[in-house]
Amino acid sequence: MSEKIVYGNVSSKEAIELEEKYGAHNYHPLPVVIAKGLGAKVWDPEGKEYYDFLSAYSAVNQGHSHPKIIEALVEQASTCALTSRAFFNNKLGEYEKYITEAFGFEMVLPMNSGAEAVETAMKLSRKWGYMKKGIPADEAILVFAKANFHGRTISIISASTDQTCRKDFGPFLSGIELVPYDDVAALEALLKEKADKIAAFIVEPIQGEAGVYVPKDGYLKQCFDICKKHNVLFVADEIQTGIARTGKLMACEWEGVHPDILLLGKALSGGVYPVSAILSSKEIMLCIQPGEHGSTYGGNPVACAVAKAAMEVVKNEKLCERAVELGEFFRGELQKIKHPMLELVRGKGLLNAIIIKPKDGKEAWDVCVMLAEKGLLCKPTHRHIIRLAPPLVITKEQLIECLEIIKSIFAEL
Ligand SMILES: *Cc1c(COP(=O)(O)O)cnc(C)c1O
């Protein structure tokens, strides 16, 4: 059986074989090859069309290959792509002004990947702890929530409770303490006991990888207040929840929290280029001095032009408002599905998940495979949770079509 190739010059089968043979096996993808993307849809090499309900883990909030973002990319790439920070460039300052004003912070430190943003926040928090809070040398503690996901570097997995990420990668970083997520009392107890050595509490407003775990109302605000009481920085990792995904530019805004340090990545570039950012006050940010931190590509002109264009799309196309409206509609419709395998629907804005109760040996993975066959792509997280997070540019008509696909799968199960 040889199907005609419509996009590119390798078939799905060949693409998978090549990755298996020459690529490290550090992922376990669904057996779907994507060759083209536009808006809420993607296509495989043979031309089969899918709705993208992963959005590259919420990097593609603005939709695949948004023309405005691609235009900025192409224009800047053909003018000047990289200068390094050994010199000034004429795009960085303009972008820095734009992004700090957009989120209400005084300063930004530009990096590339999400993990680098988290690393940077860890360094900045420690530095602030020593310089401003007066923590004794080398004794700073960073507090994280259990079941977190902040990335894959050694220092970040030092704070992970997921044994798959950690096994055989030790020894780990010291100076890390964990508290259960969504447990204000646990944080309060730890801060009471060790506040003089704690520099920061680093937390996701909604735990994405943990399965779109939405904490109780008031959790973030109460944690923030406890941090303020003990002079501990409140660091929000909004790499997945930020940039309109939950219906606000920052998910923290739902509780009126303005974090001391904000981490952005993923949709900051609309999925077009690796761009991340650490936003904070002058007081905190200036703890880092020349030569103490950096990245060759961080703040490069292409990244600046792309991120600015991506943020303009969020504003002009009212993606926050869309996420709120469509999210409410989507969850409401999902909740109407009555099926023994569908245990729970949860989420905020267009960051949602369904919790699957395995039945007849069928788990979340099998549901995702069936959805993919019918043209809807999503990925399980753990064995029983399916995250449903389409690009925020998806139309209501398209969303209705997708709900029909989801309903038809449950009817078959
Ligand atoms: C994806 C993610 C990261 C890591 O970003 P990378 O770009 O993959 O390094 C960090 N924190 C959260 C909450 C994420 O979702």
Side-chain angles (χ1 to χ4, degrees), residues 27 57 112-118 149-152 156 204 206 208-209 237-241 263 265-266 276 387:
Y27 279 93
Y57 301 95
N112 313 286
S113 68
E116 283 177 321
V118 176
F149 182 86
H150 297 289
R152 300 298 202 172
I156 294 170
E204 299 159 87
I206 292 172
E209 298 305 306
D237 179 349
E238 297 241 18
I239 291 166
Q240 188 160 154
T241 52
L263 309 183
K266 295 200 167 113
S276 66
R387 179 171 21 197

Side-chain angles (χ1 to χ4, degrees), residues 30-89:
L30 277 170
V32 173
V33 177
I34 298 172
K36 178 185 158 77
L38 195 63
K41 290 182 177 176
V42 294
W43 289 265
D44 76 6
E46 291 76 20
K48 182 174 161 68
E49 183 177 289
Y50 299 90
Y51 281 107
D52 179 2
F53 267 56
L54 183 64
S55 304
Y57 301 95
S58 295
V60 191
N61 289 358
Q62 296 88 334
H64 287 274
S65 297
H66 194 291
K68 285 271 169 24
I69 309 175
I70 298 303
E71 190 187 305
L73 171 79
V74 170
E75 191 191 307
Q76 191 56 46
S78 46
T79 308
C80 177
L82 181 65
T83 58
S84 86
R85 297 288 302 278
F87 310 106
F88 290 89
N89 76 61

